[in-house]
Amino acid sequence: MLDSLISWLAPHYCLSCGEIGAQICDNCFFDIELVPREQCVLCGGLLVGLQCGVCEDLADVTQIVLAERRDVLERLLNEYKFAYKRAAYRQVARCFDAAAPLFPGATHVVPLPTSSVHIRRRGFDHTRDFSKLFAKLRGYEYTPLLVRRHNKAQVGATAAERKTQASNAFRTKGGLLDSEALYVMCDDIVTTGASIVAAVRCLQDMGAKHVAFLVLMRQV
Ligand SMILES: [Zn+2]
Ligand SMILES: [Zn+2]
């Protein structure tokens, strides 16, 4: 309701063809190639059944990365990162719903928390928005379990120090998890995969046996 009022006041133009209406019109949406990638986000090796048999940090973790950062998805990312257009979350959730596999059984959608600096600057929590909508579209539970620790990014930190910071990036809120349920962490983009590894460890430490991540695009 509020979204439609805003779009009437300040209409969107399709990021691909320029047509007035949505940020990605229906025609252009179906042209986006959204297929789970076959390469591991850490080692680049071939996945088998969407899992990497080599990387211990992601053993038994299902990897779903749907596209690369380019073309219309790159422009979508710029819309919320730099132009602060909140409505972009709808397109991210729509991509997830269109292309993520159907998860069987109890499934929890867990947003990978955005840094509070970015949330304040943009005025909205993008990851929360698209994770919530994706859960709603699929009928999964929306379970915001992870909390980002205060980020003391130090100027001049060594590579080893930065790695330690990344591995301590998150903590969980709440108690032990349902070990039979599937926890699907959602994010918009993956670069090194360090945040994902940290989040996976957090969830596994809390008793999650089935963990997956769903990411819209990979940095190329
Ligand atoms: Zn279009
Ligand atoms: Zn790997």
Side-chain angles (χ1 to χ4, degrees):
M1 170 76 180
L2 190 61
D3 275 348
S4 56
L5 182 65
I6 290 168
S7 64
W8 178 73
L9 292 167
H12 295 293
Y13 297 90
C14 174
L15 293 163
S16 190
C17 71
E19 188 153 313
I20 193 163
Q23 278 169 314
I24 302 176
C25 77
D26 286 349
N27 280 337
C28 295
F29 184 81
F30 292 111
D31 286 341
I32 306 174
E33 200 189 333
L34 296 168
V35 180
R37 308 282 103 172
E38 290 182 337
Q39 283 84 31
C40 171
V41 296
L42 290 187
C43 71
L46 212 59
L47 301 174
V48 178
L50 295 177
Q51 299 191 344
C52 180
V54 178
C55 293
E56 277 179 33
D57 283 338
L58 292 178
D60 303 322
V61 175
T62 301
Q63 307 189 21
I64 307 158
V65 181
L66 298 176
E68 265 135 33
R69 180 179 182 173
R70 61 161 73 115
D71 305 330
V72 69
L73 294 180
E74 162 99 63
R75 294 196 283 279
L76 185 70
L77 190 81
N78 292 343
E79 286 273 279
Y80 58 82
K81 270 197 162 87
F82 307 113
Y84 307 148
K85 291 194 179 164
R86 180 173 184 178
Y89 80 89
R90 294 184 166 275
Q91 302 299 331
V92 179
R94 186 184 182 198
C95 290
F96 284 170
D97 187 34
L102 290 173
F103 304 114
T107 299
H108 295 264
V109 174
V110 182
L112 210 67
T114 313
S115 88
S116 51
V117 176
H118 288 150
I119 295 171
R120 272 201 301 275
R121 191 180 300 147
R122 293 174 194 155
F124 54 84
D125 185 342
H126 181 68
T127 315
R128 183 196 63 189
D129 289 346
F130 65 65
S131 299
K132 231 175 178 171
L133 180 55
F134 171 60
K136 189 176 163 195
L137 291 169
R138 286 284 185 94
Y140 302 144
E141 291 286 328
Y142 168 72
T143 313
L145 281 170
L146 296 167
V147 179
R148 196 174 268 273
R149 286 183 203 270
H150 184 62
N151 198 352
K152 283 183 282 180
Q154 284 149 353
V155 180
T158 63
E161 282 165 352
R162 278 200 300 271
K163 206 172 170 191
T164 311
Q165 284 166 4
S167 67
N168 293 324
F170 305 107
R171 64 181 173 80
T172 48
K173 55 180 177 188
L176 283 177
L177 305 180
D178 173 0
S179 63
E180 294 313 311
L182 172 67
Y183 292 85
V184 182
M185 293 181 300
C186 290
D187 208 354
D188 49 3
I189 186 155
V190 55
T191 47
T192 63
S195 302
I196 286 172
V197 168
V200 163
R201 192 171 309 141
C202 240
L203 293 180
Q204 287 175 340
D205 286 350
M206 296 304 287
K209 277 200 284 189
H210 310 291
V211 179
F213 59 83
L214 171 60
V215 179
L216 181 54
M217 54 190 127
R218 190 169 67 92
Q219 179 75 47
V220 280

